[in-house]
Amino acid sequence: MRAPYMTRLGLAAVLLAAAVAACSGGDDPPGADGTPDSGNPTPVDSGTPDAGDSGTPSTPDSGPDAGEPDAGVDAGTDAGTPDAGQPEGTVTIPNKLSELGLFTGTPATGDFQPVAGNVPYELTTPLFSDYSLKSRTLYVPAGKAAVYSASDVLDLPVGTIITKTFAFPADFREPDKNVRPLETRILVRQPNGWEAYPYVWNDALTEADKAVGGKVFKNFEFIDAEGVAKKFDYLVPQRNQCQKCHHVVDEQDNQQLLPIGVKARYLNRDYVYGGQTLNQLQHLADLGKLTGLPPAIQVPRAPDAFNVDEASLEVRARTYLDINCAHCHNPKAQPGITSRLFLDIKTTDEFSLGHCKRPGSAGSGVGGEFDIVPGDHATSILWYRMNTEESGKMMPEIGRALRHDAGSQLIADWIDAMPPRTCK
């Protein structure tokens, strides 16, 4: 199991930073101490349930600013009480990532780690994002807990913060060396729903600053696992672009932001906490951060899509589509509603999966006439749009600039293995 990159960032990362352009169970709330969480090499997370303190991780200011950042001067001086006039539980979003109190150290000093209570986790199959290494954490406020769901996103309480840090080694043949983080994205469960914010790391790797307008790292370079040099423009999305992927449509046709990966089937895997290998869901339950968890045998598990020993080709391909595409292509998201192409793991109807289905709005020059031509990936639009790097034609529309070679090959193999059909 590859260790999270946070434990590998050292002073060498500073050298790389000079060569590249500068793009959530403990008892105490983030910021209360400098103790790293148990998912790291020097763990102290006791694994005991919360004592019921307030647990608000933010540092609110004194004005009714509806979540806009304050000037940072009051960081750490109050007791986590919401701003006057704001709904109870509101998390004030600071300009500096450090002011959230979710991590200690910095990438520059090689000791960037989640505090106790900010629980690290990994997914069985992660979403592809230009080959970036990702480190994820989940903070659930003290005295509160998520509610288990067998198929949907965990019901996470107000005050929950999910973080995901994106980083690249200089050379993927040595993924533990010269690792340079570009951004940390957070999802915050506010009283009125989820909010998303990107933070961009500075050149010195000493702080990440809120970047509501996003950022582009022009001509970003790395060496891939095969030794091939890659150069591309890495996009840190604008805050309003996050809704493009992270959304569902409610009964009133309003789009609502929603996390993607925090589903039981993707969290049902082991992680090393304090030198002890534990199931992530059971660990959250033991910490008092998850209720309703059934016996392990009843919990679904999505396989590692690239481990042939874990599942069949079809299940692995469907899993890849589920985590990478189904947040848009499902019956409750606008792209799925428009295209009628549903790639979520629950869909069983072949036509809804794209078999011999003409797309609603793909346009011309996208590799064929049908979403999937069973037995022939080369004339299937689904594969073409995953494989191309041409802007305006590739899928997803944002979130990647590079082709995922292994993912593209997996879907090609799946389509080619289908009984051939002539689509009309």
Side-chain angles (χ1 to χ4, degrees):
M1 179 186 301
R2 175 185 290 173
Y5 86 91
M6 285 179 185
T7 66
R8 306 195 296 265
L9 292 171
L11 293 175
V14 180
L15 299 177
L16 178 61
V20 297
C23 178
S24 228
D27 293 326
D28 298 321
D33 57 45
T35 311
D37 183 84
S38 59
N40 291 280
T42 54
V44 298
D45 192 355
S46 65
T48 54
D50 294 317
D53 56 330
S54 62
T56 304
S58 61
T59 309
D61 61 22
S62 60
D65 58 7
E68 291 300 314
D70 58 18
V73 296
D74 61 353
T77 60
D78 60 27
T81 306
D83 289 348
Q86 291 186 335
E88 182 179 358
T90 297
V91 177
T92 299
I93 308 303
N95 289 324
K96 306 290 185 181
L97 181 67
S98 62
E99 293 174 9
L100 277 172
L102 294 172
F103 300 94
T104 60
T106 69
T109 52
D111 56 355
F112 181 60
Q113 300 181 54
V115 300
N118 188 26
V119 183
Y121 68 95
E122 295 181 1
L123 305 182
T124 59
T125 292
L127 187 149
F128 173 75
S129 303
D130 287 328
Y131 295 99
S132 60
L133 304 180
K134 301 177 187 178
S135 188
R136 303 168 176 83
T137 67
L138 174 66
Y139 170 78
V140 177
K144 297 183 179 181
V147 179
Y148 172 83
S149 171
S151 60
D152 297 327
V153 172
L154 300 182
D155 185 3
L156 294 156
V158 170
T160 294
I161 302 177
I162 301 170
T163 79
K164 184 162 61 173
T165 300
F166 298 71
F168 288 86
D171 190 331
F172 274 82
R173 293 170 299 181
E174 297 182 297
D176 296 339
K177 296 182 179 179
N178 297 328
V179 182
R180 200 269 193 238
L182 299 184
E183 58 163 324
T184 296
R185 301 178 194 175
I186 70 169
L187 286 174
V188 184
R189 179 67 170 88
Q190 301 283 28
N192 295 323
W194 289 93
E195 295 177 354
Y197 297 89
Y199 286 80
V200 175
W201 285 94
N202 61 22
D203 288 345
L205 304 183
T206 56
E207 183 63 88
D209 299 300
K210 187 169 64 175
V212 175
K215 180 183 175 67
V216 177
F217 286 82
K218 299 289 292 185
N219 297 318
F220 186 78
E221 298 182 66
F222 66 86
I223 305 298
D224 72 12
E226 306 302 321
V228 178
K230 299 284 189 181
K231 180 186 289 188
F232 70 110
D233 293 343
Y234 179 90
L235 173 68
V236 178
Q238 300 176 19
R239 184 189 171 202
N240 58 10
Q241 288 180 310
C242 297
Q243 185 121 0
K244 192 173 185 68
C245 294
H246 290 268
H247 84 274
V248 293
V249 178
D250 63 19
E251 295 179 356
Q252 289 74 42
D253 291 331
N254 298 314
Q255 289 191 9
Q256 296 184 341
L257 204 72
L258 198 68
I260 294 173
V262 283
K263 300 181 176 75
R265 61 184 177 274
Y266 291 111
L267 295 172
N268 189 7
R269 58 164 293 168
D270 290 341
Y271 192 96
V272 179
Y273 294 98
Q276 190 174 7
T277 300
L278 303 171
N279 178 274
Q280 294 180 146
L281 290 168
Q282 187 61 56
H283 181 58
L284 289 172
D286 291 343
L287 293 173
K289 296 302 180 182
L290 178 63
T291 62
L293 181 67
I297 196 171
Q298 298 178 21
V299 181
R301 183 182 186 276
D304 177 347
F306 301 102
N307 187 338
V308 297
D309 295 327
E310 289 199 13
S312 67
L313 173 60
E314 179 177 8
V315 171
R316 292 187 293 110
R318 290 293 308 278
T319 295
Y320 184 84
L321 294 174
D322 185 59
I323 189 64
N324 281 280
C325 312
H327 44 274
C328 287
H329 285 281
N330 74 80
K332 293 184 179 181
Q334 197 61 56
I337 294 170
T338 300
S339 68
R340 310 309 296 173
L341 178 64
F342 304 143
L343 300 176
D344 57 292
I345 202 70
K346 293 183 291 186
T347 296
T348 58
D349 176 67
E350 289 187 345
F351 184 77
S352 297
L353 280 168
H355 294 215
C356 291
K357 174 189 168 299
R358 289 185 172 87
S361 58
S364 60
V366 288
E369 186 179 355
F370 302 94
D371 288 330
I372 292 177
V373 179
D376 188 0
H377 80 272
T379 59
S380 298
I381 294 173
L382 174 66
W383 174 82
Y384 178 88
R385 299 192 77 170
M386 287 180 54
N387 192 64
T388 186
E389 295 178 348
E390 185 177 349
S391 178
K393 295 182 179 181
M394 68 179 178
M395 284 289 175
E397 295 174 327
I398 62 172
R400 79 169 180 93
L402 301 176
R403 172 175 51 253
H404 188 196
D405 292 333
S408 177
Q409 188 62 55
L410 176 64
I411 300 307
D413 292 345
W414 172 57
I415 294 174
D416 287 347
M418 297 175 182
R421 287 170 57 184
T422 300
C423 297
K424 298 180 181 180

